[in-house]
Amino acid sequence: MSGWEVAVLDGGPADGMRVKVADRPRVVQVTYPCRAEGAAAGVRVEGVYVYRLDHGVTEEPLRYGFDIACP
């Protein structure tokens, strides 16, 4: 496998988002910025969401399902 393919994220905060992936990674990570009160200069806080490749889908658009168990 090589090159870019279209994938759809299924469930979670990025539900329905279409992305392009190279070489069919097993996991895609989505981050979302969080507000941080009193944080030191340069400190960022982000929520992390994990989507796993659905191996049953073999052609575009690929599908990545939200993994609710991953922190």
Side-chain angles (χ1 to χ4, degrees):
M1 269 318 119
S2 65
W4 294 96
E5 295 179 279
V6 174
V8 176
L9 304 182
D10 187 23
D15 185 46
M17 182 179 288
R18 295 174 73 88
V19 297
K20 287 193 174 185
V21 295
D23 300 324
R24 294 187 182 184
R26 293 179 7 201
V27 174
V28 172
Q29 177 177 301
V30 173
T31 62
Y32 188 81
C34 300
R35 291 186 178 180
E37 296 180 13
V43 172
R44 295 184 339 198
V45 178
E46 296 181 337
V48 177
Y49 304 94
V50 173
Y51 290 78
R52 296 191 183 277
L53 178 61
D54 179 344
H55 294 286
V57 179
T58 58
E59 54 189 47
E60 291 184 85
L62 303 175
R63 186 161 302 278
Y64 284 79
F66 177 60
D67 185 345
I68 195 166
C70 281

